[in-house]
mmCIF file of all heavy atoms in Angstrom:
data_model
loop_
_atom_site.group_PDB
_atom_site.id
_atom_site.type_symbol
_atom_site.label_atom_id
_atom_site.label_comp_id
_atom_site.label_asym_id
_atom_site.label_seq_id
_atom_site.Cartn_x
_atom_site.Cartn_y
_atom_site.Cartn_z
ATOM 1 N N ALA A 19 -12.079 4.181 11.419
ATOM 2 C CA ALA A 19 -12.914 5.368 11.429
ATOM 3 C C ALA A 19 -12.872 5.970 10.032
ATOM 4 O O ALA A 19 -11.836 6.174 9.473
ATOM 5 C CB ALA A 19 -12.386 6.342 12.460
ATOM 6 N N ALA A 22 -16.189 9.888 5.198
ATOM 7 C CA ALA A 22 -16.742 9.545 3.913
ATOM 8 C C ALA A 22 -16.594 10.664 2.886
ATOM 9 O O ALA A 22 -16.190 10.425 1.744
ATOM 10 C CB ALA A 22 -18.196 9.106 4.041
ATOM 11 N N MET A 28 -9.592 7.074 8.560
ATOM 12 C CA MET A 28 -8.788 7.722 9.564
ATOM 13 C C MET A 28 -8.176 6.739 10.556
ATOM 14 O O MET A 28 -7.054 6.923 10.991
ATOM 15 C CB MET A 28 -9.665 8.731 10.334
ATOM 16 C CG MET A 28 -10.109 9.841 9.416
ATOM 17 S SD MET A 28 -11.435 10.929 10.029
ATOM 18 C CE MET A 28 -11.349 10.841 11.765
ATOM 19 N N VAL A 31 -5.105 5.148 9.075
ATOM 20 C CA VAL A 31 -4.032 6.146 8.958
ATOM 21 C C VAL A 31 -3.371 6.349 10.308
ATOM 22 O O VAL A 31 -2.140 6.396 10.400
ATOM 23 C CB VAL A 31 -4.591 7.469 8.382
ATOM 24 C CG1 VAL A 31 -3.553 8.591 8.462
ATOM 25 C CG2 VAL A 31 -5.072 7.282 6.980
ATOM 26 N N ALA A 42 8.438 0.012 13.127
ATOM 27 C CA ALA A 42 8.053 -1.417 13.067
ATOM 28 C C ALA A 42 7.659 -1.788 11.656
ATOM 29 O O ALA A 42 7.387 -0.940 10.816
ATOM 30 C CB ALA A 42 6.896 -1.653 14.032
ATOM 31 N N SER A 44 5.133 -3.490 8.944
ATOM 32 C CA SER A 44 3.673 -3.654 8.877
ATOM 33 C C SER A 44 3.234 -3.806 7.425
ATOM 34 O O SER A 44 3.948 -3.478 6.522
ATOM 35 C CB SER A 44 3.001 -2.407 9.458
ATOM 36 O OG SER A 44 3.298 -1.251 8.656
ATOM 37 N N LEU A 48 -5.737 -3.222 1.585
ATOM 38 C CA LEU A 48 -6.793 -2.377 1.013
ATOM 39 C C LEU A 48 -7.756 -3.296 0.295
ATOM 40 O O LEU A 48 -7.368 -4.012 -0.634
ATOM 41 C CB LEU A 48 -6.189 -1.360 0.062
ATOM 42 C CG LEU A 48 -7.174 -0.473 -0.662
ATOM 43 C CD1 LEU A 48 -7.963 0.372 0.339
ATOM 44 C CD2 LEU A 48 -6.452 0.434 -1.617
ATOM 45 N N GLY A 50 -11.146 -4.216 -1.988
ATOM 46 C CA GLY A 50 -11.743 -3.645 -3.181
ATOM 47 C C GLY A 50 -13.105 -3.016 -2.989
ATOM 48 O O GLY A 50 -13.595 -2.377 -3.880
ATOM 49 N N VAL A 59 -5.611 4.544 -5.106
ATOM 50 C CA VAL A 59 -4.312 4.014 -4.739
ATOM 51 C C VAL A 59 -3.596 3.387 -5.918
ATOM 52 O O VAL A 59 -2.419 3.581 -6.137
ATOM 53 C CB VAL A 59 -4.418 3.027 -3.557
ATOM 54 C CG1 VAL A 59 -3.120 2.321 -3.303
ATOM 55 C CG2 VAL A 59 -4.903 3.753 -2.307
ATOM 56 N N ALA A 64 0.615 3.628 -9.931
ATOM 57 C CA ALA A 64 1.001 3.576 -11.368
ATOM 58 C C ALA A 64 1.747 4.823 -11.744
ATOM 59 O O ALA A 64 2.757 4.784 -12.476
ATOM 60 C CB ALA A 64 -0.237 3.403 -12.235
ATOM 61 N N LYS A 67 5.224 4.673 -10.188
ATOM 62 C CA LYS A 67 6.012 3.648 -10.904
ATOM 63 C C LYS A 67 6.512 4.160 -12.232
ATOM 64 O O LYS A 67 7.640 3.984 -12.609
ATOM 65 C CB LYS A 67 5.212 2.367 -11.049
ATOM 66 C CG LYS A 67 5.982 1.214 -11.597
ATOM 67 C CD LYS A 67 5.166 -0.072 -11.612
ATOM 68 C CE LYS A 67 6.000 -1.208 -12.102
ATOM 69 N NZ LYS A 67 5.227 -2.477 -12.168
ATOM 70 N N ASP A 70 9.399 6.189 -11.907
ATOM 71 C CA ASP A 70 10.444 5.431 -11.267
ATOM 72 C C ASP A 70 10.562 5.823 -9.780
ATOM 73 O O ASP A 70 11.659 5.861 -9.244
ATOM 74 C CB ASP A 70 11.767 5.581 -11.987
ATOM 75 C CG ASP A 70 12.767 4.475 -11.619
ATOM 76 O OD1 ASP A 70 12.316 3.370 -11.248
ATOM 77 O OD2 ASP A 70 13.977 4.704 -11.679
ATOM 78 N N HIS A 79 10.724 -4.722 -2.740
ATOM 79 C CA HIS A 79 11.244 -6.050 -2.545
ATOM 80 C C HIS A 79 10.447 -7.015 -3.454
ATOM 81 O O HIS A 79 9.226 -6.951 -3.472
ATOM 82 C CB HIS A 79 11.144 -6.493 -1.079
ATOM 83 C CG HIS A 79 11.657 -7.873 -0.844
ATOM 84 N ND1 HIS A 79 13.005 -8.180 -0.884
ATOM 85 C CD2 HIS A 79 11.018 -9.025 -0.579
ATOM 86 C CE1 HIS A 79 13.146 -9.471 -0.655
ATOM 87 N NE2 HIS A 79 11.965 -9.979 -0.478
ATOM 88 N N LEU A 82 10.707 -14.516 -5.971
ATOM 89 C CA LEU A 82 10.238 -15.472 -6.979
ATOM 90 C C LEU A 82 10.012 -16.788 -6.272
ATOM 91 O O LEU A 82 10.909 -17.299 -5.575
ATOM 92 C CB LEU A 82 11.258 -15.614 -8.086
ATOM 93 C CG LEU A 82 10.924 -16.589 -9.225
ATOM 94 C CD1 LEU A 82 9.668 -16.120 -9.959
ATOM 95 C CD2 LEU A 82 12.085 -16.682 -10.176
ATOM 96 N N ASP A 83 8.807 -17.340 -6.424
ATOM 97 C CA ASP A 83 8.462 -18.566 -5.739
ATOM 98 C C ASP A 83 7.677 -19.460 -6.689
ATOM 99 O O ASP A 83 6.809 -18.991 -7.411
ATOM 100 C CB ASP A 83 7.650 -18.242 -4.488
ATOM 101 C CG ASP A 83 7.435 -19.473 -3.598
ATOM 102 O OD1 ASP A 83 8.227 -20.438 -3.733
ATOM 103 O OD2 ASP A 83 6.480 -19.477 -2.800
ATOM 104 N N GLY A 87 3.024 -26.104 -9.560
ATOM 105 C CA GLY A 87 2.829 -25.772 -10.969
ATOM 106 C C GLY A 87 2.649 -24.327 -11.291
ATOM 107 O O GLY A 87 2.325 -23.982 -12.422
ATOM 108 N N PRO A 92 5.681 -12.048 -5.963
ATOM 109 C CA PRO A 92 5.102 -10.939 -5.171
ATOM 110 C C PRO A 92 6.049 -9.746 -5.123
ATOM 111 O O PRO A 92 7.251 -9.922 -5.015
ATOM 112 C CB PRO A 92 4.897 -11.567 -3.794
ATOM 113 C CG PRO A 92 5.752 -12.801 -3.774
ATOM 114 C CD PRO A 92 5.997 -13.210 -5.200
ATOM 115 N N VAL A 94 6.524 -6.052 -3.112
ATOM 116 C CA VAL A 94 6.121 -5.273 -1.955
ATOM 117 C C VAL A 94 6.809 -3.903 -2.023
ATOM 118 O O VAL A 94 8.032 -3.807 -2.183
ATOM 119 C CB VAL A 94 6.520 -5.982 -0.625
ATOM 120 C CG1 VAL A 94 6.131 -5.110 0.560
ATOM 121 C CG2 VAL A 94 5.868 -7.339 -0.569
ATOM 122 N N TYR A 95 6.026 -2.861 -1.946
ATOM 123 C CA TYR A 95 6.516 -1.495 -1.966
ATOM 124 C C TYR A 95 6.190 -0.912 -0.575
ATOM 125 O O TYR A 95 5.135 -1.121 -0.030
ATOM 126 C CB TYR A 95 5.873 -0.629 -3.036
ATOM 127 C CG TYR A 95 6.206 -1.115 -4.437
ATOM 128 C CD1 TYR A 95 5.409 -2.085 -5.061
ATOM 129 C CD2 TYR A 95 7.306 -0.613 -5.117
ATOM 130 C CE1 TYR A 95 5.724 -2.517 -6.332
ATOM 131 C CE2 TYR A 95 7.600 -1.054 -6.388
ATOM 132 C CZ TYR A 95 6.825 -1.985 -7.014
ATOM 133 O OH TYR A 95 7.121 -2.444 -8.280
ATOM 134 N N ASP A 97 7.600 2.021 2.790
ATOM 135 C CA ASP A 97 8.380 3.113 3.349
ATOM 136 C C ASP A 97 9.694 2.556 3.851
ATOM 137 O O ASP A 97 9.705 1.608 4.627
ATOM 138 C CB ASP A 97 7.584 3.763 4.451
ATOM 139 C CG ASP A 97 7.968 5.185 4.731
ATOM 140 O OD1 ASP A 97 8.827 5.706 4.002
ATOM 141 O OD2 ASP A 97 7.441 5.800 5.651
#
Side-chain angles (χ1 to χ4, degrees):
M28 295 166 25
V31 171
S44 65
L48 177 61
V59 171
K67 188 174 182 181
D70 199 27
H79 180 72
L82 179 63
D83 189 21
V94 178
Y95 295 88
D97 203 3

